[in-house]
Amino acid sequence: MTQSPTEPRSRWSLWSVHGDGRTVRPGDVVHPDERLSWPRTLGVGVQHVVAMFGATFTVPLITGFPPATTLFFSGLGTLLFLVITGNRLPSYLGSSFAFIAPVLAAKAGGDIGPALGGIVVAGAALALVGLVVQLAGAGWINRLMPPVVTGAIVMLIGLNLAPVAWDGGGEGGVKAQPLIAVLTLAAILLFTVLFKGFLARLSILLGVLVGWLVAAFTGGLDPATVTGLREAAWVGLPEFHTPSFSLRAVVLVIPVVLVLIAENAGHVKAVAATTGRNLDRDMGRAFMGDGLATVLAGSGGGSGTTTYAENIGVMAATRVYSTAAYWVAGLAAVLLGLSPKIGALILTVPAGVLGGATTALYGLIAILGARIWLDNRVDFHDPVNLLTAAVAVIIGAADYTLTAGDLSFHGIALGTAAALLVYHGMRLVARLRGTTPHPHPPNPHPHPHPTPTTPASPSRVALPASPSPRRSRSNCRQRRSTSDDRP
């Protein structure tokens, strides 16, 4: 990787100017502590806002949270994250899709207060995990949640959400407006392959726009939401809500912490791989930043947050990893959240459009679980890995439910628990009895993988793998002879 000369940073500046501030030379990147000229930085920041917008507003539409409030806390949480990570980790915090199913279950009575309480507790737990990681290192997380467990949890979340795409948890989704849903999905698929670069990463947002226009011309918009849009003010405070706390809601939401850990860890590794910097020392700070941002959002009526892979795509395309662009994006999201008109516009998105979009989104979450297995070369010849994934995925997909008094444990919570218990329980017994071959050593250089939360969309581009070191012919011959001796 070439390195452009950088203008020395002034005493009062957080960033030094990269090169001439106008261009990025081939093979070079703008590092987190650098920036381009402010006009160009503003332009990159706006791209980050556009990239996160589709997934961020989709989550509150599904869960019934106020969209403007979610947007407001998304921007505020991003700024808090940048402060906590010492302005070293470029990330945007958008709405996490992992919260959808437990939030829908927690607010079954219509009141979002208990769901917000669960989000607050989950955020606090993630922040606590971050503190432990910062003090003790991240090795114990890798041992607790190996890739086979992480992939199974991500996959079961996507499959558990599949019925919501069909009926929206009631009478919505594809079931309510099948023609609009099919046209929306078709537009998403078409835009994914029709465009290149940045536009291809916006296929979800563009597909939703096409679906909305079709609904508007065919009378598919809800008259009540259209009236609300007409009457909404351009400037005003978002709709705040206070959380309430119940053990049932906390039990439903708390398993999401494991997904957030996997998402944040994957994000940090992906940024480190593309910038050529070791960011392991910031892993704990990333957990703490996302955790406290989630606490902040839940305290005021916003959706739980996570680091967004959509924005990794923007960084890969522009080669600008400057945290200055994320300060611009965070501030822009806060300003958009202070416009009730924007929130009212988002609420006009009809059920069929959401059904078409979530058909793709939830499917991508499930497939992302398989991608985690592939990127980390999980050995499914090992029966422990095979049964860990098999049992957990079926429990989550079928939405197994266990009721104990007033508490109900649903598919995501039970599937997550099953993944952990089956893997570690079988591994312990197999080790004691010597009945299972030792698993193949993990790939020391797994491909960095972006995570769902949050989001998941066709914009989740695969980052290039690190080049493998060249092997000598003698090494190759030795490796072949060794493999031939295996039984």
Side-chain angles (χ1 to χ4, degrees):
M1 182 181 296
T2 60
Q3 182 65 43
S4 296
T6 300
E7 179 182 307
R9 188 188 313 176
S10 69
R11 180 179 179 183
W12 307 107
S13 175
L14 294 173
W15 306 276
S16 55
V17 177
H18 177 87
D20 60 4
R22 296 190 299 272
T23 58
V24 183
R25 297 193 309 189
D28 202 2
V29 298
V30 180
H31 287 289
D33 56 352
E34 300 173 341
R35 66 169 176 83
L36 297 176
S37 65
W38 280 116
R40 288 169 175 79
T41 298
L42 288 171
V44 176
V46 170
Q47 289 187 64
H48 283 299
V49 172
V50 175
M52 67 81 186
F53 200 80
T56 294
F57 82 72
T58 301
V59 174
L61 279 177
I62 297 169
T63 58
F65 282 25
T69 309
T70 292
L71 199 57
F72 176 81
F73 281 111
S74 169
L76 209 58
T78 297
L79 302 181
L80 178 62
F81 181 90
L82 292 171
V83 171
I84 291 175
T85 57
N87 212 39
R88 291 189 296 271
L89 191 58
S91 302
Y92 188 90
L93 268 59
S95 304
S96 172
F97 276 67
F99 282 99
I100 293 176
V103 163
L104 289 174
K107 64 179 285 288
D111 180 16
I112 71 172
L116 292 174
I119 290 173
V120 169
V121 173
L126 180 61
L128 182 61
V129 170
L131 180 61
V132 174
V133 169
Q134 197 63 27
L135 296 175
W140 64 277
I141 288 182
N142 297 327
R143 291 189 292 272
L144 176 67
M145 295 177 58
V148 64
V149 172
T150 304
I153 293 172
V154 173
M155 178 174 284
L156 71 87
I157 287 176
L159 296 178
N160 184 269
L161 287 168
V164 179
W166 168 244
D167 62 11
E171 295 300 321
V174 177
K175 182 180 179 181
Q177 297 174 313
L179 178 59
I180 292 175
V182 170
L183 291 175
T184 300
L185 179 59
I188 291 171
L189 301 177
L190 181 61
F191 287 139
T192 302
V193 294
L194 186 64
F195 297 131
K196 295 180 179 180
F198 183 65
L199 282 178
R201 283 187 286 273
L202 298 180
S203 57
I204 294 287
L205 183 61
L206 295 174
V208 168
L209 178 60
V210 168
W212 188 92
L213 290 173
V214 171
F217 282 112
T218 59
L221 300 182
D222 184 354
T225 61
V226 174
T227 301
L229 173 61
R230 191 180 301 115
E231 296 175 351
W234 281 101
V235 179
L237 290 174
E239 181 184 350
F240 295 115
H241 291 267
T242 55
S244 59
F245 297 91
S246 72
L247 182 58
R248 174 181 175 274
V250 170
V251 168
L252 286 168
V253 179
I254 200 69
V256 174
V257 173
L258 297 176
V259 181
L260 298 180
I261 289 173
E263 289 178 343
N264 280 276
H267 183 91
V268 172
K269 291 176 182 177
V271 174
T274 50
T275 59
R277 292 187 173 184
N278 187 350
L279 298 174
D280 286 351
R281 65 191 179 103
D282 294 316
M283 187 81 74
R285 289 180 178 270
F287 294 161
M288 286 190 285
D290 187 15
L292 293 178
T294 296
V295 170
L296 180 64
S299 300
S303 303
T305 62
T306 188
T307 49
Y308 257 23
E310 282 86 347
N311 298 91
I312 290 184
V314 174
M315 290 189 290
T318 62
R319 290 178 290 138
V320 177
Y321 292 81
S322 171
T323 54
Y326 283 95
W327 280 94
V328 172
L331 290 171
V334 169
L335 293 176
L336 289 173
L338 293 175
S339 174
K341 184 73 76 175
I342 298 295
L345 175 62
I346 294 172
L347 285 174
T348 63
V349 176
V353 173
L354 278 179
T358 53
T359 297
L361 288 169
Y362 297 162
L364 284 168
I365 293 174
I367 298 303
L368 185 60
R371 179 177 167 179
I372 291 173
W373 294 333
L374 291 173
D375 286 349
N376 291 275
R377 301 182 184 180
V378 174
D379 180 14
F380 281 111
H381 291 96
D382 184 342
V384 175
N385 290 340
L386 193 64
L387 286 170
T388 296
V391 172
V393 166
I394 290 300
I395 290 175
D399 198 24
Y400 283 25
T401 302
L402 176 64
T403 302
D406 294 333
L407 298 178
S408 293
F409 303 88
H410 292 269
I412 291 179
L414 294 176
T416 299
L420 292 168
L421 291 175
V422 170
Y423 178 82
H424 291 289
M426 290 186 69
R427 190 67 74 201
L428 176 61
V429 173
R431 189 179 300 116
L432 293 175
R433 295 286 299 162
T435 55
T436 303
H438 291 294
H440 296 299
N443 179 16
H445 301 292
H447 301 300
H449 54 274
T451 55
T453 97
T454 140
S457 75
S459 66
R460 299 185 180 280
V461 295
L463 296 172
S466 301
S468 301
R470 183 173 298 175
R471 293 175 296 183
S472 66
R473 294 183 179 179
S474 61
N475 286 342
C476 293
R477 286 194 297 268
Q478 182 179 1
R479 184 179 294 255
R480 282 196 298 269
S481 63
T482 303
S483 62
D484 293 339
D485 291 339
R486 290 192 189 126

